[in-house]
Amino acid sequence: MFPRLIDRMEKKKVQILAPLVAVVCLLAFVAFEGCERKPDESVLQGSGGNASNQVYVSRTEDPAYSKALKDQVAQQKRTAMALAKIKRQMDDLKERARAKLGKDATEEQIKAELDGNPAKYAGWKLLVDAYAKANAKMEKELADVRGIVRRRIEKEAADQKAVAEGKATAVPVASK
């Protein structure tokens, strides 16, 4: 009797805690969604800086940054498409090997069959090499994007500081 009662109580806890956790996460997301440090309106009017020293205080408004990110995304899409094409070709060869070995064949057996019979599965080694290169390229592209974002965040902080100190003026934010 007590084990059943304990099981029912544990189920009730899950039934109560799961929606509660979801609501807390949603509230945290809503609370921090719009959190962006906005510069003072008097600073935006240009307190002492000249027009030639205008800076973007928000990286989302910087057209050079936006273009760099769009270019990186386009490159990542091309690499991902190439990776997917290679993966499909590899899966086709794996299916051929699985058909020869039987449905109960393990991944290790299939790989051994593919590696052991290069004449029967032409192109397997090339596909493995191409997949490794494409995967490395994807990792490099991700690292490049992280670097772009990191450098722009650092520049944004420096620009906001320069505007606050009056050494530069903020580029007026375009209304949307």
Side-chain angles (χ1 to χ4, degrees):
M1 178 170 155
F2 287 114
R4 283 184 41 203
L5 181 62
I6 292 172
D7 286 344
R8 287 177 55 195
M9 289 175 56
E10 287 178 4
K11 287 180 183 177
K12 291 241 185 230
K13 284 182 186 177
V14 170
Q15 289 174 345
I16 292 172
L17 287 178
L20 183 63
V21 168
V23 168
V24 168
C25 289
L26 181 64
L27 288 175
F29 176 75
V30 169
F32 294 109
E33 168 60 23
C35 282
E36 183 177 323
R37 194 171 137 222
K38 305 263 190 248
D40 191 326
E41 201 55 41
S42 64
V43 172
L44 284 175
Q45 299 301 325
S47 55
N50 58 20
S52 66
N53 196 13
Q54 289 190 330
V55 293
Y56 290 97
V57 292
S58 173
R59 64 185 173 273
T60 58
E61 297 293 326
D62 186 354
Y65 174 71
S66 297
K67 183 181 180 331
L69 285 183
K70 285 179 184 174
D71 292 346
Q72 282 292 326
V73 167
Q75 181 60 41
Q76 284 178 325
K77 284 181 183 178
R78 287 190 292 272
T79 304
M81 288 172 54
L83 203 56
K85 182 179 177 184
I86 295 167
K87 181 78 169 120
R88 278 193 305 274
Q89 292 172 346
M90 289 174 75
D91 288 343
D92 289 344
L93 287 176
K94 282 182 180 181
E95 286 304 314
R96 282 182 41 207
R98 186 182 306 275
K100 182 187 178 299
L101 295 174
K103 293 195 182 262
D104 296 335
T106 64
E107 285 295 317
E108 292 82 22
Q109 292 171 331
I110 292 170
K111 187 170 178 341
E113 172 72 16
L114 291 166
D115 289 337
N117 298 309
K120 199 184 275 187
Y121 304 103
W124 173 252
K125 300 265 188 211
L126 293 173
L127 288 173
V128 169
D129 292 341
Y131 187 81
K133 286 179 184 176
N135 209 13
K137 184 177 180 183
M138 181 67 88
E139 290 296 323
K140 182 190 175 307
E141 289 169 356
L142 284 172
D144 290 346
V145 168
R146 287 185 193 110
I148 289 170
V149 172
R150 182 178 34 258
R151 285 187 299 275
R152 186 56 183 101
I153 287 172
E154 290 167 356
K155 184 177 180 331
E156 179 179 14
D159 290 346
Q160 288 175 350
K161 183 178 178 185
V163 168
E165 293 173 351
K167 296 177 181 176
T169 59
V171 174
V173 177
S175 60
K176 294 181 180 180

